[in-house]
Amino acid sequence: MDPITAAIVVAVATGVAAGATDASKKLIVDAYDALKALLKKKFGAESEIVKAADCVAARPDSASRKETLKEEVKAAKADQDAELVVAAQALIAQ
């Protein structure tokens, strides 16, 4: 899985995890928001990649939504954008 899809999936899953502390949730949310803002800046708020990320956030257990996000990342070549990869890695690190 590419780092951008992985970061979004992990962030959504971790951010809602019962064991996550308020402080760790805040860090995850901030890093997730930064990645989403960067996606919007680069591809537009109404782009398919942003819509796919929103769909994963709405239903994080859906394998098909994760696959759609993965496809949109690949189609947009977002996984080849160094700035996006750095933001995704920062999110995963949280």
Side-chain angles (χ1 to χ4, degrees):
M1 186 177 294
D2 66 87
I4 296 166
T5 302
I8 292 170
V9 169
V10 168
V12 170
T14 306
V16 298
T21 66
D22 287 339
S24 65
K25 282 183 185 178
K26 171 105 173 82
L27 291 173
I28 293 165
V29 168
D30 289 349
Y32 175 77
D33 287 345
L35 178 57
K36 283 280 301 283
L38 196 53
L39 287 170
K40 288 177 183 179
K41 176 183 168 192
K42 290 182 178 277
F43 301 105
E46 297 300 318
S47 64
E48 293 302 315
I49 191 170
V50 171
K51 289 177 186 177
D54 290 340
C55 286
V56 169
R59 293 201 43 217
D61 294 331
S62 172
S64 63
R65 290 184 184 207
K66 291 175 191 173
E67 189 61 32
T68 298
L69 175 59
K70 184 177 170 183
E71 289 173 10
E72 294 303 332
V73 167
K74 184 177 179 181
K77 298 182 180 177
D79 57 336
Q80 296 174 22
D81 183 297
E83 190 176 13
L84 286 170
V85 170
V86 168
Q89 290 171 337
L91 177 54
I92 291 170
Q94 295 302 323

